Amino acid sequence: MYFKQTEYGNSPEFLASQHYINFTTTISDDGVEADENGRKYVLAGTVIGADGKAATNESVSSQAVIGVLFATVDVTHGPQPGALMVEGYVIEARLKQAIDNSGTLQEEIKTSLTTKCPKITLR
């Protein structure tokens, strides 16, 4: 399996405090669209489901949400390990599911995240 290690020197912009706990998990490349350069990225701040994919309104009804992706992961060459935040304070408006720029999470994802990950607090 191909593994690419990347170090980033800044903290994610969605953190509301310096206290957080991360665990390693495998991030899936299924359903990730390639950019104009052919690279596939799962962005930091994406809510991740139990299958390692980004949570969507359809998927949260059938699977558990397990946390928030802490750092961007390059999945161009297949599934890769990533840091999954399971405890901490996050700024809801800055999570990547707020794609309509309204600053709010989709209600199904928000409900699933707050009930299945009780140690992640949305601010």
Side-chain angles (χ1 to χ4, degrees), residues 80-123:
Q80 296 291 313
L84 186 73
M85 188 170 116
V86 296
E87 182 177 323
Y89 290 87
V90 297
I91 301 169
E92 176 184 344
R94 295 185 181 169
L95 292 178
K96 298 303 178 199
Q97 271 76 11
I99 55 174
D100 59 358
N101 296 322
S102 65
T104 58
L105 277 175
Q106 297 168 0
E107 199 58 40
E108 293 83 0
I109 294 173
K110 182 178 178 179
T111 302
S112 183
L113 182 63
T114 55
T115 57
K116 296 178 181 171
C117 300
K119 293 188 177 187
I120 293 180
T121 304
L122 300 175
R123 295 197 56 155

Side-chain angles (χ1 to χ4, degrees), residues 1-5 39 74-81:
M1 175 172 104
Y2 175 84
F3 173 71
K4 178 181 178 183
Q5 184 172 0
R39 310 296 297 183
D74 182 351
V75 294
T76 303
H77 300 289
Q80 296 291 313

Side-chain angles (χ1 to χ4, degrees), residues 42-82:
V42 180
L43 300 176
T46 301
V47 178
I48 301 295
D51 60 358
K53 297 178 186 176
T56 62
N57 285 340
E58 296 79 31
S59 68
V60 295
S61 61
S62 63
Q63 70 172 334
V65 170
I66 58 172
V68 175
L69 189 60
F70 192 74
T72 299
V73 177
D74 182 351
V75 294
T76 303
H77 300 289
Q80 296 291 313

Side-chain angles (χ1 to χ4, degrees), residues 29-47:
D29 62 332
D30 290 342
V32 179
E33 297 292 325
D35 65 7
E36 63 275 358
N37 299 318
R39 310 296 297 183
K40 294 181 178 181
Y41 296 101
V42 180
L43 300 176
T46 301
V47 178

